Structure formats: C-alpha cells, structure tokens
C-alpha cells in the first residue's frame, strides 16, 4: 500500500496538549521494514517516561497512568528520546500516527532539545485520521475508527495499544480502497479551529460537511 522502505508508527501519552510546555509520559511505537514487497514488524517500543511535574487528575483519569507508576517504571525523557530515535533513524522513514500533528509537535520538541536545536522535519507523513475523515462522517476520534473497522486491538489511551490499533485500521483501510499513498503529506483540519502545526511541504485540506473530499481534490 506504500513504497517507503521503513515505516514508524507511534503514539504518545502526555501531561497535556501543548508540546512547548507539556511532556511525554508514555511512548508506543512499531517499526516496519519492507522486504520483497511486504512490510514486516521488526521492532516495537513501549516505555513509561518520567515528567518533571505531577500528573493532572484528568490525565490519570484518561490514561490510568499514575505518578507512582512513572516513578517506579518510567525512564528519563532523554533515555526515552534515545530509544525512540533508534527507531526513527533518519528523514527517509515514513512517520504514521492517528491525529499525527499532535504527536509530531512533541517529536519536534524532543528533537530540538536532545538532537539538534535547529531540527527541521523532512520526513514524509501519513495521518490515519485524514484517511478516516475522507471516508467517514463524524465522529473522527480513534475510538470511532476502532468501532467502524471492528478492530480487536483495544483503544485504551495507552500508547502501544493505540498505535497497534492504528496499524490494524490502516491495514483494513488499504483493503477497503488501495489508494493509501494519496494521503501521504496530507492533513485534514476543521476550519473552526486553528492548525496546530504548520509543516511547509504538507497539504492542509479543510473538512466540508464532515468529510475532507481528498479524493476529489
């Protein structure tokens, strides 16, 4: 369904929404590589990560991650970045997530802090939510896609579960219609809200009537 040699699917749980001020508390990632025309999972990552502040009650309620869990089992932010960067490897890797702009904002902050303060994103991107928005009406959250495609992987708001669910959704979308490549570097957005992250090479398409109409563009 794609032509990239390496694909990294990832999901973060965080202390809040704004990557400039909040931190990652959990990393879930799956690395795929293509051989003889087929993608195979060659590595995965699941890490709890210690933030520099206590978790808001709402985050504990959503994720069921607690301060005690992070203190006991979490690695440092820098160690989590190092492990994630080993999977990321370079700008040739296709990055995939559900609602990817959110997770990318944290990747960029991590890169600038621990890798290169002048870091500029150059990777191709695939937002699975953009495909879902193009094919299905509201709601567009991950749990809606899990239900629509009858995915067995639970949507638990835990990072590795969520990214495995995203991968299974993507597989079913590819079987449903073989045009996944068309959505690379395309982001859908609701015109009622601002675009949270501007990436120069990405095409942004506004929803109309609940759909993106990418196939008509």
């Amino acid at each position: 369904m794609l032509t990239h040699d390496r694909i990294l699917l990832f999901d973060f749980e965080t202390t809040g929404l704004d990557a400039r001020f909040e931190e990652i508390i959990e990393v879930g990632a799956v690395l795929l590589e293509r051989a003889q025309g087929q993608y195979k999972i060659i590595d995965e990552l699941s890490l709890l990560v210690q933030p520099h502040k206590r978790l808001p009650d709402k985050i504990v309620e959503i994720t069921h991650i607690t301060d005690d869990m992070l203190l006991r089992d979490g690695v440092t932010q820098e160690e989590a970045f190092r492990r994630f960067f080993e999977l990321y490897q370079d700008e040739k890797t296709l990055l995939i997530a559900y609602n990817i702009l959110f997770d990318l904002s944290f990747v960029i902050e991590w890169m600038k802090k621990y890798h290169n303060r002048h870091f500029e994103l150059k990777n191709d991107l695939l937002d699975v939510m953009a495909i879902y928005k193009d094919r299905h009406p509201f709601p567009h959250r991950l749990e809606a896609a899990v239900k629509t495609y009858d995915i067995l992987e639970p949507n638990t708001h835990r990072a590795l579960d969520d990214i495995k669910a995203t991968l299974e959704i993507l597989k079913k979308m590819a079987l449903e219609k073989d045009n996944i490549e068309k959505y690379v570097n395309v982001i859908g957005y609701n015109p009622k809200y601002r675009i949270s992250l501007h990436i120069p090479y990405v095409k942004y398409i506004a929803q109309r009537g609940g759909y993106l109409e990418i196939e008509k563009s």
Side-chain angles (χ1 to χ4, degrees):
M1 60 181 175
L2 293 162
T3 60
H4 298 75
D5 291 330
R6 191 188 312 117
I7 295 175
L8 180 59
L9 297 99
F10 62 101
D11 182 76
F12 299 142
E13 301 302 331
T14 67
T15 58
L17 299 179
D18 193 329
R20 296 171 299 173
F21 310 110
E22 305 294 347
E23 292 180 289
I24 294 166
I25 59 171
E26 188 176 35
V27 177
V30 176
L31 181 65
L32 290 79
E33 287 191 355
R34 188 160 61 98
Q36 299 178 339
Q38 299 292 323
Y39 285 105
K40 293 184 178 180
I41 295 175
I42 65 164
D43 205 352
E44 64 180 49
L45 183 64
S46 180
L47 290 174
L48 290 172
V49 190
Q50 295 175 356
H52 292 90
K53 62 181 179 181
R54 293 185 62 83
L55 295 179
D57 291 342
K58 188 65 176 179
I59 299 300
V60 176
E61 178 186 339
I62 291 171
T63 65
H64 303 294
I65 296 171
T66 65
D67 291 303
D68 287 343
M69 289 169 61
L70 296 177
L71 184 62
R72 182 181 67 244
D73 300 322
V75 301
T76 65
Q77 293 284 318
E78 188 170 4
E79 172 64 12
F81 168 77
R82 185 188 66 79
R83 298 276 299 277
F84 179 81
F85 191 79
E86 287 176 357
L87 300 188
Y88 166 82
Q89 295 188 34
D90 58 45
E91 63 191 36
K92 295 179 182 179
T93 302
L94 172 65
L95 303 180
I96 299 181
Y98 199 94
N99 190 20
I100 197 168
L101 290 187
F102 172 78
D103 300 280
L104 276 179
S105 65
F106 283 88
V107 169
I108 291 170
E109 290 298 320
W110 250 7
M111 289 287 192
K112 288 181 176 179
K113 186 172 184 179
Y114 297 117
H115 175 57
N116 177 1
R117 63 190 180 94
H118 301 296
F119 174 79
E120 293 183 8
L121 189 72
K122 296 180 180 178
N123 299 73
D124 282 339
L125 315 172
L126 180 62
D127 185 5
V128 177
M129 188 170 72
I131 309 172
Y132 191 76
K133 283 183 174 183
D134 204 30
R135 299 182 182 181
H136 301 280
F138 295 119
H140 293 137
R141 297 178 65 84
L142 178 59
E143 52 261 39
V146 166
K147 183 176 180 180
T148 297
Y149 288 100
D150 194 24
I151 302 301
L152 297 180
E153 293 286 349
N155 170 223
T156 60
H157 288 290
R158 293 299 300 270
L160 188 59
D161 286 345
D162 285 358
I163 204 57
K164 285 186 173 181
T166 298
L167 176 57
E168 293 307 311
I169 291 166
L170 185 60
K171 290 178 182 178
K172 290 199 172 185
M173 285 175 163
L175 292 173
E176 179 181 60
K177 191 173 292 187
D178 186 18
N179 68 346
I180 301 300
E181 190 77 34
K182 187 181 182 74
Y183 296 89
V184 173
N185 295 330
V186 174
I187 299 292
Y189 69 95
N190 189 328
K192 292 182 180 179
Y193 307 105
R194 67 179 180 85
I195 297 172
S196 59
L197 181 64
H198 288 270
I199 303 169
Y201 56 88
V202 166
K203 182 178 182 180
Y204 294 87
I205 298 179
Q207 296 170 211
R208 300 185 185 280
Y211 292 90
L212 291 184
E213 298 184 350
I214 291 172
E215 293 187 310
K216 297 180 182 179
S217 63

